[in-house]
Amino acid sequence: MDNSQLYDGTLCMTAKTAISTQYNVHSLYGYSETVSTMKVLKTILGKRSIVISRSTYPNSGQHGGHWLGDNKSAWPDLYLSIPGILNFNLFGIPFVGADICGFQLTTTVELCARWMQLGAFYPFSRNHNTKDTLQAQDPPSLGSLVVNASRSALLTRYSLLPYLYTLFHEAHVTGMTVARPLLFESVFCSGYFAIWSK
C-alpha cells in the first residue's frame, strides 16, 4: 500500500453538481455512457449487442456488463475476484468478470493455470493483461500446464453454456443472479463458511 489518501487524484465527494453531490452521482457518468452506447449499437446493428464497462452503477446490468478493473497477477487478486463477481451480481450486473491471470505485473505458470480454471466459471470470462508485462499470458506462451488446465476448464465451460444461457435468461426476466453464493441455494447449511477459503 502506498499510503495515499482517498482525496489524492479524485474529486471531493462533497463537491456540488447540478443535481446532487459528487458522492451521489459519481458513477452515473459510466452508467449513462453504457446506456447510450447500447442504444446506438441496437440502432446501428438492429440486434442485441454487448457493452462492457468498469464504470457502472447498480442495475447497469440491463444495459451492459462489468469487468472488475485492473487487477494484479497475484494470488490475493484471484481470491478477491470471487466476492467481486458475487457482489456485482447482487448489484444487478450479472455479466461480470475479472482479468484472468491478472492485468498488471507478470503472472506465473501456477497462478495462471489456477486462474484459468477459476475464470472459466466467471460469467464474463477473458484472459487479459497489459502490454507492459515481461511475458505474454495466453496459455500457449506459458507452457503445457497452463494449456492443459485451460483446455479442460474451457471445455467444461463450453459444455455448460446451455445452463449459463438459462441463468442469463433468468437474470434478464427475474433479476436473479448468474453467479450466486451458496447460501442462495440453502440458508440452513452451516458448513458454507468453513469451505470459503478452500
Side-chain angles (χ1 to χ4, degrees):
M1 177 95 11
D2 61 6
N3 294 325
S4 60
Q5 300 296 314
L6 177 62
Y7 54 78
D8 290 347
T10 64
L11 291 174
C12 177
M13 290 292 114
T14 59
K16 303 286 185 195
T17 69
I19 60 172
S20 187
T21 63
Q22 176 66 13
Y23 179 82
N24 291 332
V25 299
H26 178 75
S27 294
L28 284 176
Y29 178 78
Y31 173 78
S32 62
E33 220 175 33
T34 301
V35 171
S36 300
T37 303
M38 183 56 81
K39 283 182 183 176
V40 169
L41 284 172
K42 283 182 180 176
T43 301
I44 292 172
L45 300 174
K47 56 185 176 181
R48 69 181 178 173
S49 189
I50 188 69
V51 175
I52 306 294
S53 177
R54 70 176 189 184
S55 177
T56 52
Y57 201 73
N59 209 30
S60 293
Q62 62 183 312
H63 306 286
H66 180 88
W67 93 89
L68 296 178
D70 296 344
N71 58 6
K72 293 183 176 80
S73 295
W75 291 102
D77 288 49
L78 175 147
Y79 181 83
L80 291 172
S81 71
I82 298 168
I85 288 168
L86 295 175
N87 285 335
F88 272 89
N89 269 260
L90 293 174
F91 301 153
I93 307 170
F95 194 60
V96 61
D99 293 334
I100 296 172
C101 299
F103 181 77
Q104 299 171 345
L105 306 179
T106 301
T107 193
T108 65
V109 169
E110 183 182 359
L111 174 64
C112 195
R114 298 295 176 233
W115 211 326
M116 288 297 294
Q117 290 171 326
L118 170 65
F121 298 97
Y122 292 166
F124 172 48
S125 179
R126 73 170 181 173
N127 180 323
H128 177 64
N129 71 326
T130 181
K131 63 182 178 180
D132 299 329
T133 59
L134 299 175
Q135 176 179 345
Q137 65 185 30
D138 58 290
S141 71
L142 292 169
S144 62
L145 177 69
V146 180
V147 167
N148 292 334
S150 300
R151 180 182 294 121
S152 176
L154 291 172
L155 286 173
T156 301
R157 178 185 177 87
Y158 296 150
S159 72
L160 294 172
L161 282 179
Y163 177 64
L164 190 58
Y165 288 163
T166 301
L167 291 175
F168 275 112
H169 177 73
E170 182 182 51
H172 171 73
V173 172
T174 69
M176 188 57 170
T177 60
V178 171
R180 52 187 75 145
L182 289 173
L183 65 88
F184 271 39
E185 305 306 320
S186 173
V187 296
F188 301 109
C189 182
S190 61
Y192 293 155
F193 294 109
I195 63 170
W196 166 244
S197 63
K198 302 294 184 221

